[in-house]
């Protein structure tokens, strides 16, 4: 059984606490199929098994918390800690690229990596902390982007609830 299948089964069993935990861990940098869980949660909401608004709030809070963990490691952790964390999320080269991206694009980069370029999100979290990007600005862009990401995927799950399998294949 794949991790995706396991998490989908667990989502049906544990609901919101699992969604919050997986979203937090994923946004902190551990690669998990969170987008797939959001689509499934949207489908569950469409079938009346979950509350759609609550799913959006809980998943958004988890996503923002995970991003804040990454930012805090970059901002207040030492470089050795960041190097260890960067191994989990793809290596030092990707972290260096993300740091340059964070300096160049600032808030728009944070916003876009929350919902459009999601695989870059954990790198940008660390890089924003390294670059000394102001926390209050990071938080604003982070919240805007994460709420959009969660709402888009939950909405897709609700709209295409009868075709979740095909949609999950399309989204990878």
């Amino acid at each position: 059984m794949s991790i995706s299948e396991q998490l989908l089964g667990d989502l049906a069993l544990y609901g919101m606490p699992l969604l919050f935990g997986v979203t937090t861990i994923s946004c902190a940098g551990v690669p998990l199929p969170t987008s797939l869980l959001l689509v499934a949660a949207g489908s569950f909401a469409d079938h009346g098994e979950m509350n759609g608004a609550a799913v959006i709030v809980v998943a958004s809070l988890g996503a923002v918390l995970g991003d804040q963990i990454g930012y805090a490691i970059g901002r207040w952790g030492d470089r050795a800690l960041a190097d260890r964390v960067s191994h989990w999320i793809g290596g030092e080269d990707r972290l260096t690229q993300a740091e340059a991206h964070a300096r160049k694009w600032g808030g728009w980069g944070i916003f876009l990596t929350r919902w459009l370029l999601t695989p870059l999100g954990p790198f940008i979290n660390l890089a924003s902390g390294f670059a000394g990007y102001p926390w209050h600005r990071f938080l604003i862009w982070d919240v805007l982007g994460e709420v959009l990401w969660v709402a888009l995927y939950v909405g897709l799950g609700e709209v295409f609830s009868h075709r979740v399998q095909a949609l999950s294949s399309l989204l990878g």
Side-chain angles (χ1 to χ4, degrees):
M1 178 179 288
S2 73
I3 186 76
S4 295
E5 293 169 341
Q6 180 67 44
L7 287 173
L8 287 173
D10 290 346
L11 180 63
L13 186 61
Y14 300 110
M16 297 291 195
L18 177 91
L19 184 63
F20 177 83
V22 169
T23 306
T24 300
I25 292 167
S26 173
C27 290
V30 177
L32 293 171
T34 310
S35 296
L36 178 61
L37 281 183
L38 293 173
V39 170
S43 178
F44 290 162
D46 186 57
H47 293 286
E49 297 169 24
M50 291 181 143
N51 180 310
V55 166
I56 291 171
V57 169
V58 167
S60 295
L61 288 172
V64 170
L65 177 60
D67 292 339
Q68 298 306 306
I69 291 168
Y71 177 88
I73 290 170
R75 184 70 181 249
W76 294 290
D78 63 358
R79 189 67 184 194
L81 174 62
D83 289 341
R84 282 181 287 198
V85 171
S86 73
H87 283 44
W88 296 341
I89 58 175
E92 180 66 27
D93 291 340
R94 291 189 76 182
L95 185 57
T96 302
Q97 291 172 346
E99 196 170 351
H101 179 76
R103 290 182 198 279
K104 180 178 178 183
W105 291 98
W108 283 108
I110 294 164
F111 177 72
L112 291 174
T113 59
R114 301 305 101 167
W115 66 277
L116 183 60
L117 306 168
T118 55
L120 298 176
F123 299 106
I124 294 299
N125 298 341
L126 287 170
S128 295
F130 288 145
Y133 192 79
W135 175 77
H136 66 282
R137 288 186 188 157
F138 179 84
L139 181 63
I140 290 167
W141 288 108
D142 184 36
V143 168
L144 291 173
E146 291 296 13
V147 170
L148 178 59
W149 172 61
V150 169
L152 281 172
Y153 278 80
V154 170
L156 283 171
E158 288 180 349
V159 170
F160 296 104
S161 66
H162 60 287
R163 303 284 298 160
V164 168
Q165 291 287 14
L167 185 60
S168 70
S169 297
L170 179 67
L171 296 174

